[in-house]
Amino acid sequence: MNFQPEQLYDIAKTVSVNAYAPYSKFKVGAALLTEDGRVYSGVNIENSSYGATICAERTAFVKAISEGEKHFTAIAVYAEGEEAIPCGICRQFMYEFAPELMIITGKTREEINVRSLNELLPVGFSLKGEDR
C-alpha cells in the first residue's frame, strides 16, 4: 500500500472546517484514499433529527462511490483536539466496501495511529455482494 498517513491526515484536518456541527460542536473531517491514488474528502453533517446526521467517513465514501469508485485502501479521520475513532455504524459501512481498509487517526499530526479496519471491527458483517 502506497500512502503517506500524514498527508491524508492533513487533508482530513483541512476539510474539517467545512463540517456542519451546530449541536455537538464536534467538527470531523475525513480523507479517503482509493487504490488508484484519488482522495475523496468528507465532513460530518448534523441534523435537528439526530438520526439524519451523517459522519465524515460515510460522507467521503458516499461521494467516492457515487463517482464510480469501489476500491479503497485508507481513510484518515480528524477532529480538533481529539482522536476521532470511527463509530460503529461507520465501521460497518466501511467494511461493506473495504474490509482491509487502513484507518488513520490521531490527536495531532505527531501522534498518528494507523490501524486496520479489522482491528476496529474484528467480525464485520457481510452478505458478500457481487458488485464489490
Side-chain angles (χ1 to χ4, degrees):
M1 180 180 319
N2 232 354
F3 71 91
Q4 297 298 318
E6 295 82 7
Q7 291 173 312
L8 280 181
Y9 184 85
D10 290 345
I11 294 168
K13 180 179 181 178
T14 298
V15 301
S16 70
V17 299
N18 296 328
Y20 178 74
Y23 310 108
S24 71
K25 309 292 188 230
F26 189 67
K27 292 186 169 197
V28 181
L32 175 63
L33 180 67
T34 66
E35 274 185 4
D36 66 1
R38 295 173 122 183
V39 176
Y40 290 85
S41 63
V43 298
N44 59 319
I45 303 168
E46 295 179 350
N47 191 278
S48 295
S49 173
Y50 291 134
T53 294
I54 186 167
C55 298
E57 300 92 310
R58 285 181 285 144
T59 300
F61 265 88
V62 168
K63 285 171 63 176
I65 293 163
S66 71
E67 295 298 321
E69 297 288 349
K70 290 189 179 171
H71 304 285
F72 309 99
T73 59
I75 189 166
V77 185
Y78 170 86
E80 180 140 1
E82 306 235 2
E83 182 174 19
I85 307 290
C87 72
I89 292 171
C90 286
R91 293 175 196 192
Q92 179 56 50
F93 190 93
M94 295 185 292
Y95 189 87
E96 178 78 16
F97 301 98
E100 304 300 319
L101 191 71
M102 298 308 293
I103 314 287
I104 301 159
T105 62
K107 224 175 167 177
T108 68
R109 193 176 201 269
E110 292 73 32
E111 300 176 79
I112 287 179
N113 294 301
V114 180
R115 301 174 182 92
S116 70
L117 179 55
N118 286 321
E119 285 178 76
L120 297 178
L121 185 68
V123 185
F125 176 77
S126 176
L127 295 176
K128 305 285 186 209
E130 293 180 22
D131 287 346
R132 286 198 286 173

